[in-house]
Structure formats: C-alpha cells, structure tokens
Amino acid sequence: MCLALPCRIVELCGDEKAVIDVSGMRKEISLALVEGVGIGDYVIVHVGYALTRLDPEEAEKTLALFAELGDAALQEAANEIH
Amino acid sequence: MKYIDEFRDGELARGLSAAIRQAADPARRYHFMEFCGGHTHAISRYGVTDLLPDNVRMIHGPGCPVCVLPIGRVDMAIRLALEAGVTLCTYGDTLRVPASDGLTLFKAKARGGDVRMVYSSADAVALAQKHPEKQVVFFAIGFETTTPPTAVAIRQAQALGLKNFSVLCCHVLTPSAISNILESPEVRQYGTVPLDGFIGPAHVSTIIGSQPYEFFAEEYRKPVVIAGFEPLDVMQAILMLIQQVNSGRAVVENEFSRAVTRDGNRKAQNLVAEVFELRRQFEWRGLGVVPYSGLRIRKEYAVFDAERRFAIDYRSVPDNKACECGAILRGVKRPQDCKIFGTVCTPENPVGSCMVSSEGACAAHYTYGRYKDSAGVPA
Ligand code: SF4
C-alpha cells in the first residue's frame, strides 16, 4: 500500500498531469503535489501522484557511501583473516 | 529499473553487512523498530535479517496502513455499500480486511454491494463525474503519504461542483503512533519492548520531512534514521543507528536524502492543512484509541464528508480473540508467536489484518520467513 516507485517523466500534458515510463509502460500521473518538475526528471509515484522529485546527485552520493563503507569493512575483514 | 536495482545490489549488501558486523559491539544487544510496512517487506523479502549479527534484532512496527485499520472502520464502509447503497471506491488492499459478521468488502461486493477497486483517488472522482446518478464514496485510508492525494481529490470534486462525491476519511498520522508505542498505558498490558532506535518512514517523510521526528528523538532519547525502502537503504540505516547507539547520540539522521528533506513537501502539507483537521482521537487496530492521531475533513468541506452526508457512526469492535496483531503491531510479539499463524490464518484466508497486506508483519513472515523457522533456526 505504501509502495511507491521512482519513475521518469517522459511527457508533460498540462493540467498538472504527466506521462511516466515504468519499464517501457507509459502511464499518466498527477503532478498536483509537486512543483517545478520537467521531462527527464525522476519522481516518486504513489497511487497515481508524484510525491517528490528524486535528487540524482544525492542518489549517487548515497551509493558511493555504501561502496566506500563496504569496501573498507571487507578490507578490514580480509586483514583480520590474514 | 534505475534508482531501484542499484539499491538492491548484492555486492554492496555484502560490504554493508561486514560494516554492520564490525560496528556492532558484541557486548551489547540492539533492538531497532522499523516503523513502516515497506521496510518490513524489504527486510523479509531480501533476507536482511540473515545479514545481521545475532545481537541486532529488528522489530516490526505498526506502519502498515491496512493493518492498523480497525474493524469498525471497515464496517462503516461495508454499511455504506450494503445499506446506504453507495458506490464504494477503495484501494485494493482493503478489500480482504476481515470485518464484523465474517464480512469483508470483497464479500459485500458478492452480496450485491457496489464496491470498486481504484488505483487512485482521482479515479473515484472521475467515476462520480461520469455517473451523476450514483453516490460515490472514496474509502480513504493511509498515512501522510496517501493523505495529500485525497486532499487533491476533494478539491477537484469541489472545483467540478460534484454533488455525488464524498470521502470516508480514515487517514492517520505517523508521529502520534510512534509516541504511542513508547508511552501508552497499554505498554503495561503487553509489556515493554526494549527499543534502541527507529528506522523512520521513507515515503511518509517525503511529505512531512525529517523535522517532525526531532522532538521525539530528543524527548525519548531514541535515535531515528529515515531510510528508503530498498534493502541497502535499510542496512545503511541499521549501521547508522548502531553508530548512534555506540556513541550515546539520539538524533534524527536522513539516509533517504535522495527524496527527503528536513521540511518535506510544503505544497502537499498546505493542501492537507486546507482540507483536513485533527480528530481528537482515532482508534487504531493494535494500538487502541490514540489521541490526535487521525484526520477528519474540515467543516468548510463538510459536503464531501461521507460521515456527515450519510450519518453513519463509528462503533468500536474488538479483534478476533486469537489474533495477536495488537501485540505484534507494538513489537512485543512476533507472528510465529500467534497460535493460528499459518494454520487458520493465512494470506488466502486472513483472520487478522497483519495477514492481509504484503506489508503486514504476519504476511511478510508467512511469505518469506516461515520455512526458515520450521527448519528450527531461531528467528
Ligand atoms: S497470524 Fe493472523 S491471527 Fe495471528 S496475529 Fe497474525 S494476523 Fe492475527
């Protein structure tokens, strides 16, 4: 029920509506809850409404942090074994 | 899919799992509650528990909107469909929630009630527009994530001048539920759960922001880390919680910075404030009556309030005696502690609401975890 997916906007239709692409399927959603989103932006979609824009830079930073923390931990684990 | 697959990467998970093991102090035990059903689902589906050391235990919280919907509220929807003869529109998840007299909305439909599943509140408005001869009621449930779409629907119905659209408002608030878990008198009845921190909601927080949890981290000295619904997000949040506990901190941190800010979505918040106001109290399944924890429609929008239009009242109904949902939703019992778990109560034939939605603790455990238990491995 709380499931919501990041989806890319491929078309703006006016009247606070847009078309998103979900794995090749196109679907119309409402932009009534967000401001200043455009074609190519990713938004988190829940029950047919975009809840917020997804920030690609923050997403990259989070993934980089996962990799950095994980690498350091695996390195340390390897050192302990040897 | 972009922004999903990367956050489920197995290699990264292995790294984070190692980081968690190194951070967890073997001399301590850590109990964290994931508030949201979305997190419960991710933890069960991706086997996150298997990647945690034994002294880190995750407790499922009450954040599944279907699971906390009390029987009496579903009864109201059923009465509207069967007695008032309205066209009742609802999200799919509520159709199978067990209500009084062995009924569900699904069974009410079989008995001739005009019950329709909609994907979005906008579909309900469209239906009312298309069928002026019918009274269309939207059964609105959910947390702060689902409330703004309902507000938009009511405003839209007003703009269209619809006379045949109304909303049965059952929207509830996350922060009140979290405080309730920590301080309500029922804690005495169920015993207390030792909780060292919370994984805060993902999508709810896109709307309300991280700020509302600050009071609560400070007041109760519990760390809160807001996290996305993918397995790596959950693991990172666990790591951050362990680090806070180790250093004696209790603050709000945001792992889900790609979608959550401190202030949240102001536009959505303003819409909600325009259309809804606090109820003095609202009954939750599992938590009982929680003060100021639900919303109702403001009197300026009274014509769109199904509770006023059809004069149906709320009657509280106790849960099935065997059902442990109450204790499970508070984190003091686990699904496998319920005597009828997996035997009488299954996702095909749910007795309690925790078994209905895939985000419910019992359903998640049934689908992804029960074989592990039956093999004798302690969960
Ligand atoms: S297994 Fe069914 S009856 Fe038991 S607690 Fe879970 S939902 Fe309730």
Side-chain angles (χ1 to χ4, degrees):
Chain A
M1 157 99 230
C2 271
L3 294 184
L5 294 176
C7 305
R8 192 166 55 93
I9 295 185
V10 292
E11 197 183 319
L12 297 175
C13 322
D15 196 19
E16 299 195 312
K17 291 207 162 60
V19 174
I20 50 164
D21 174 279
V22 195
S23 314
M25 279 208 353
R26 290 162 64 92
K27 202 171 159 23
E28 196 181 83
I29 59 155
S30 165
L31 297 180
L33 299 174
V34 288
E35 267 164 344
V37 297
I39 291 174
D41 281 343
Y42 276 81
V43 285
I44 295 188
V45 177
H46 177 61
V47 297
Y49 291 79
L51 294 181
T52 187
R53 197 177 86 90
L54 192 134
D55 185 333
E57 271 173 41
E58 287 294 330
E60 286 313 317
K61 274 197 229 162
T62 304
L63 285 170
L65 181 71
F66 291 169
E68 187 191 319
L69 291 170
D71 283 349
L74 290 174
Q75 190 60 47
E76 197 179 316
N79 290 345
E80 273 169 24
I81 295 166
H82 295 297
Chain B
M1 268 167 34
K2 194 161 165 57
Y3 299 120
I4 296 181
D5 297 336
E6 308 93 297
F7 291 87
R8 295 178 181 172
D9 182 272
E11 267 310 298
L12 289 177
R14 226 164 50 88
L16 284 177
S17 167
I20 290 172
R21 275 173 208 283
Q22 285 161 20
D25 176 351
R28 281 178 190 262
R29 296 195 61 78
Y30 303 84
H31 297 89
F32 300 128
M33 175 178 274
E34 85 276 4
F35 182 82
C36 280
H39 290 131
T40 305
H41 185 82
I43 289 170
S44 309
R45 175 163 176 195
Y46 297 99
V48 170
T49 327
D50 298 340
L51 300 170
L52 301 177
D54 291 342
N55 58 337
V56 178
R57 193 181 142 206
M58 299 308 296
I59 294 159
H60 309 315
C64 156
V66 179
C67 307
V68 297
L69 195 63
I71 290 176
R73 287 267 152 197
V74 188
D75 285 351
M76 284 167 95
I78 291 176
R79 268 188 275 146
L80 280 172
L82 290 182
E83 289 164 28
V86 312
T87 297
L88 191 101
C89 297
T90 176
Y91 293 129
D93 301 52
T94 59
L95 285 172
R96 294 187 309 119
V97 179
S100 298
D101 308 323
L103 275 177
T104 60
L105 276 166
F106 200 67
K107 286 183 189 154
K109 186 181 166 79
R111 285 198 187 174
D114 189 3
V115 177
R116 310 212 186 172
M117 190 183 117
V118 290
Y119 167 67
S120 160
S121 57
D123 299 343
V125 175
L127 193 72
Q129 206 180 354
K130 204 166 142 210
H131 293 284
E133 77 286 359
K134 291 192 158 110
Q135 278 294 333
V136 174
V137 177
F138 177 59
F139 186 24
I141 73 151
F143 289 97
E144 289 90 337
T145 334
T146 322
T147 313
T150 306
V152 174
I154 291 177
R155 295 261 304 223
Q156 208 183 354
Q158 187 187 45
L160 292 167
L162 294 183
K163 303 264 179 288
N164 63 327
F165 176 81
S166 57
V167 169
L168 176 57
C169 177
C170 304
H171 286 300
V172 285
L173 304 170
T174 308
S176 354
I178 302 183
S179 328
N180 181 272
I181 292 169
L182 289 169
E183 61 174 23
S184 80
E186 287 82 9
V187 163
R188 262 173 264 141
Q189 177 192 339
Y190 290 120
T192 19
V193 220
L195 284 179
D196 303 303
F198 285 88
I199 296 186
H203 298 135
V204 161
S205 307
T206 65
I207 303 294
I208 67 174
S210 63
Q211 196 262 337
Y213 309 102
E214 287 169 9
F215 153 79
F216 160 94
E218 214 167 284
E219 182 76 13
Y220 301 101
R221 302 285 314 145
K222 302 281 181 199
V224 179
V225 176
I226 293 158
F229 278 156
E230 298 303 333
L232 296 186
D233 292 317
V234 176
M235 294 183 70
Q236 172 68 9
I238 293 170
L239 178 62
M240 291 163 82
L241 284 170
I242 291 175
Q243 287 165 340
Q244 281 207 42
V245 170
N246 288 353
S247 60
R249 286 178 304 138
V251 294
V252 177
E253 291 179 319
N254 180 11
E255 184 278 336
F256 199 32
S257 58
R258 60 189 187 278
V260 172
T261 58
R262 182 168 182 271
D263 292 335
N265 181 339
R266 281 276 160 80
K267 188 180 181 189
Q269 289 167 16
N270 290 340
L271 267 166
V272 168
E274 157 84 27
V275 176
F276 299 104
E277 62 189 10
L278 277 176
R279 283 181 200 261
R280 204 160 285 154
Q281 56 178 46
F282 192 82
E283 183 168 15
W284 295 52
R285 194 181 288 222
L287 299 185
V289 174
V290 182
Y292 299 104
S293 64
L295 296 175
R296 67 165 180 224
I297 297 168
R298 280 186 190 281
K299 70 169 182 312
E300 291 81 353
Y301 293 89
V303 288
F304 301 103
D305 188 345
E307 283 177 68
R308 299 187 213 219
R309 178 172 294 189
F310 299 99
I312 37 161
D313 53 338
Y314 175 73
R315 290 174 223 150
S316 174
V317 179
D319 287 325
N320 184 303
K321 273 203 201 68
C323 181
E324 298 278 11
C325 277
I328 291 169
L329 289 171
R330 285 174 181 280
V332 293
K333 283 202 175 154
R334 295 176 303 173
Q336 58 271 42
D337 298 329
C338 171
K339 284 194 198 69
I340 57 174
F341 170 81
T343 52
V344 179
C345 183
T346 61
E348 294 74 46
N349 198 356
V351 173
S353 55
C354 302
M355 195 54 106
V356 174
S357 157
S358 62
E359 292 156 42
C362 293
H365 189 68
Y366 183 90
T367 312
Y368 303 111
R370 76 199 156 107
Y371 299 109
K372 197 172 68 184
D373 284 351
S374 59
V377 180

